[in-house]
Amino acid sequence: MLDTCNPQHLQQKLREEFLNAKREKKLRNRDAAAAIGISEGEAMAACVGFEAIRLLPRFVELFEEVPLLGAVLALTRNDSVVHEKDGAYQKMSHNGEVGLALGEVIDLRIFYKQWRFACAVIEEVTRGPETSLQKSLQFYDLHGAAVHKVFLREHSDHAAFDALVARWRDPQQLPGMTTEPLPPATIDTDDAEIDIDGFRSAWENMTDTHQFFGLLRDFGVSRTQALRLAPPQFVRQVDNSAVRQILEQAVASALPIMVFVGNRGMIQIHSGAVSNVKVMGPWLNVLDSGFNLHLREDMIVSSWLVSKPTSDGEVTSLELFDRDGNTIAILFGVRKPGQPELPAWRAAALNLPLINDETTAEAQA
């Protein structure tokens, strides 16, 4: 479905309601949009001609110019977690509609097929007693959810930003975007219809973690169903406090970890140590120079310790899921292809508190 723009007066009304919700309730853009019953993408599209500049939807070419901006803030989120990295975009490439950014700091897996709307945003923000202009590039999917945002810092190349926006500015600055409704939640195939023996055999014979996605497709199972049906020696359900425990352990032992956070159009990865973990209400935070993570612990419905066989030995992950079975985040020990897993990571993971059978049965009832 192609974008079409609603009548301009309706877009103006949406923008006014959105800005009023932001101002009166002191909400961030995403929450202000939700407060008036629209997606964030629809809210930002309503601001075209004012705070937002519509960019041409040639997403691959546009996004691969982001390295010109120098050091910036890269932000990727889903409903339960926000992942922020400070640094420069480097080594960008694509194969069709799948892209990569393999910089020393900013590490991305990009799924352009999901992208629908891009804009540059220049808006006033207030921090304490000071007000300043904040510049960003923002990308939204076909449902109006934010895929990725790039925020300029004071030390970023602002002239390069202005030039990029001028190059990619859509000549028709029409407000509005057409979104598609979210698909209904997928219902798992009945376990009795799954070739469980074949599935378990295929799991045991994996040689690379990336083969897992083919495994899900070939046997017609969701990710959480796969964890339930996996060979039991490879999967353990752990307490939902596990992510806090593993982060605190990483701080205490200077254990380098990888934190994957994604949505339909992007996966963003942190690799390295963490040093400052703080809990603020429901939010579990990493507040490091160069890396921030903000995770809603109360949205974690299940947590799993998962081992996958590879040619380099077993690789262990901590995987977090929400109530709909969507992946919130996945954590690993830092590892390069061709290298075995860090023994310290595996030891920390195996020390996580398990959920016993009685507790699991009660939670699933």
Side-chain angles (χ1 to χ4, degrees):
M1 187 187 299
L2 298 176
D3 277 358
T4 58
C5 293
N6 296 325
Q8 196 155 341
H9 70 280
L10 294 179
Q11 294 301 315
Q12 184 175 342
K13 184 173 184 294
L14 277 182
R15 174 177 172 268
E16 290 171 357
E17 292 178 358
F18 168 66
L19 295 179
N20 285 340
K22 278 186 67 173
R23 181 176 58 253
E24 293 172 5
K25 300 180 181 180
K26 294 182 170 55
L27 298 175
R28 295 182 182 272
N29 287 352
R30 185 175 187 270
D31 297 326
I36 64 169
I38 62 175
S39 67
E40 185 182 0
E42 290 171 292
M44 298 316 301
C47 292
V48 168
F50 297 92
E51 297 80 10
I53 300 168
R54 180 185 290 273
L55 303 178
L56 292 169
R58 288 160 53 191
F59 301 121
V60 177
E61 299 161 89
L62 191 170
F63 197 58
E64 289 191 355
E65 288 194 6
V66 171
L68 299 173
L69 306 183
V72 292
L73 171 70
L75 184 152
T76 298
R77 69 165 302 153
N78 55 48
D79 289 341
S80 305
V81 61
V82 183
H83 190 295
E84 301 172 353
K85 291 283 288 184
D86 274 295
Y89 289 69
Q90 298 171 323
K91 298 180 182 177
M92 298 191 71
S93 64
H94 67 278
N95 182 4
E97 294 184 291
V98 177
L100 296 171
L102 299 175
E104 293 180 8
V105 176
I106 295 178
D107 187 0
L108 307 173
R109 309 292 177 267
I110 310 157
F111 309 103
Y112 292 109
K113 185 177 181 179
Q114 299 292 328
W115 295 27
R116 169 62 60 83
F117 170 65
C119 61
V121 179
I122 302 172
E123 58 186 337
E124 284 192 349
V125 295
T126 301
R127 294 185 179 90
E130 296 185 358
T131 298
S132 60
L133 279 182
Q134 183 177 77
K135 299 178 181 180
S136 63
L137 300 176
Q138 302 189 15
F139 304 91
Y140 294 87
D141 71 11
L142 65 168
H143 308 297
V147 167
H148 189 68
K149 298 180 182 180
V150 181
F151 291 94
L152 268 67
R153 300 296 208 183
E154 185 176 346
H155 52 263
S156 304
D157 192 331
H158 290 252
F161 174 87
D162 296 341
L164 183 151
V165 172
R167 274 194 304 281
W168 292 101
R169 187 180 188 277
D170 191 326
Q172 299 187 56
Q173 287 296 303
L174 297 176
M177 72 175 289
T178 298
T179 59
E180 297 179 14
L182 286 168
T186 303
I187 299 174
D188 288 350
T189 303
D190 192 285
D191 289 357
E193 298 179 27
I194 305 297
D195 177 8
I196 296 177
D197 290 341
F199 171 72
R200 290 179 171 176
S201 177
W203 185 304
E204 291 168 348
N205 287 286
M206 277 193 287
T207 57
D208 188 288
T209 57
H210 295 98
Q211 294 170 355
F212 183 65
F213 302 102
L215 209 66
L216 301 181
R217 181 188 63 246
D218 293 345
F219 288 89
V221 293
S222 70
R223 195 167 188 125
T224 50
Q225 187 178 24
L227 300 184
R228 277 197 302 103
L229 300 178
Q233 69 270 29
F234 289 107
V235 174
R236 303 169 181 84
Q237 189 171 2
V238 294
D239 190 85
N240 290 334
S241 65
V243 62
R244 185 191 300 194
Q245 180 170 315
I246 205 76
L247 287 173
E248 290 174 345
Q249 176 64 29
V251 172
S253 60
L255 174 65
I257 61 173
M258 302 177 76
V259 183
F260 288 63
V261 166
N263 52 52
R264 293 176 187 84
M266 180 71 75
I267 296 172
Q268 184 165 306
I269 306 164
H270 165 76
S271 297
V274 293
S275 60
N276 185 16
V277 174
K278 288 191 175 179
V279 179
M280 302 176 187
W283 292 96
L284 174 63
N285 303 282
V286 177
L287 303 173
D288 288 351
S289 174
F291 173 51
N292 278 198
L293 186 78
H294 312 288
L295 190 153
R296 283 281 299 267
E297 284 188 282
D298 59 332
M299 288 187 164
I300 303 171
V301 168
S302 67
S303 304
W304 300 79
L305 195 60
V306 183
S307 292
K308 302 183 184 79
T310 77
S311 55
D312 304 316
E314 288 185 17
V315 172
T316 309
S317 57
L318 174 62
E319 307 193 4
L320 315 176
F321 297 91
D322 68 13
R323 65 181 180 182
D324 296 319
N326 298 315
T327 302
I328 295 174
I330 302 177
L331 288 78
F332 294 86
V334 164
R335 187 185 75 92
K336 297 289 186 184
Q339 297 178 352
E341 182 169 76
L342 290 173
W345 164 259
R346 182 174 296 181
L350 293 177
N351 196 42
L352 292 172
L354 298 180
I355 287 186
N356 60 39
D357 293 340
E358 184 178 323
T359 305
T360 303
E362 185 178 317
Q364 292 176 344

